[in-house]
Amino acid sequence: MELPDLAAPRGDLQFMLGVLFNQQVRAETAWRAPVRLGERLGGLDVHQLAATAPDSLAAVMQQRPAVHPFAVAMAAHVIAMCERLIALYDGQAAKVWDDCPPAATLLRRLTAFPGIGHHKATVAIALLTREYDLPLTGPADDLAAQALASCPRLSEVLVT
């Protein structure tokens, strides 16, 4: 599984979209989905995505091979995510975590996004702390352990 480079242009948005798309698909499919979506749209831009009509985005996502099997719901979540990123984080996904908040704060921030529940948020925290070395205070290891317990395949991709 290849995770996005957070320092690359739009890498942070790709990460957030990968977290969102990580639902009832293999992890590899979820993490490739933002790249596939970007290729179809000619790039990933938070402002353009936020302004896209849900049915138009769903149609793009449904093209074969589908970006995600739940394209209609995911299109709505992508748009809402981008709207929230613009409203609260200046359109920059990295601002969700780049202040290295306490783990509990990051968990609250992530679960406030439509389509990201507790499980997806703990997986994101596990990836941010273990793959990207994001230094969080508080129970980050506990949250990562929860993610590993509920998603056995995650341990196969994490650096130990």
Side-chain angles (χ1 to χ4, degrees):
M1 177 174 85
E2 188 168 326
L3 295 170
D5 177 358
L6 293 183
R10 316 255 191 289
D12 57 340
L13 181 57
Q14 285 181 356
F15 178 84
M16 286 292 288
L17 291 173
V19 171
L20 177 65
F21 292 149
N22 189 17
Q23 179 177 332
Q24 295 185 351
V25 296
R26 293 185 55 83
E28 295 82 0
T29 302
W31 293 103
R32 271 193 298 254
V35 173
R36 182 176 290 142
L37 181 61
E39 289 169 350
R40 291 180 185 179
L41 296 173
L44 290 176
D45 180 87
V46 70
H47 293 92
Q48 288 177 343
L49 286 167
T52 303
D55 56 339
S56 295
L57 187 56
V60 169
M61 292 176 71
Q62 289 170 329
Q63 294 171 5
R64 301 241 180 246
V67 170
H68 197 280
F70 306 116
V72 174
M74 286 298 161
H77 290 324
V78 166
I79 292 166
M81 173 184 280
C82 290
E83 290 171 343
R84 185 170 182 79
L85 287 171
I86 292 166
L88 298 176
Y89 300 101
D90 298 323
Q92 298 174 31
K95 287 190 175 187
V96 174
W97 60 79
D98 69 356
D99 61 344
C100 301
T105 299
L106 183 54
L107 181 67
R108 278 193 305 278
R109 288 179 187 175
L110 290 167
T111 57
F113 284 94
I116 298 181
H118 184 83
H119 172 71
K120 288 182 184 181
T122 59
V123 169
I125 289 170
L127 292 170
L128 287 167
T129 57
R130 297 200 178 175
E131 291 294 307
Y132 296 107
D133 297 321
L134 183 72
L136 298 179
T137 59
D141 286 338
D142 293 344
L143 293 173
Q146 286 178 26
L148 288 167
S150 63
C151 185
R153 284 229 340 111
L154 185 58
S155 63
E156 296 173 19
V157 299
L158 288 175
V159 173
T160 54

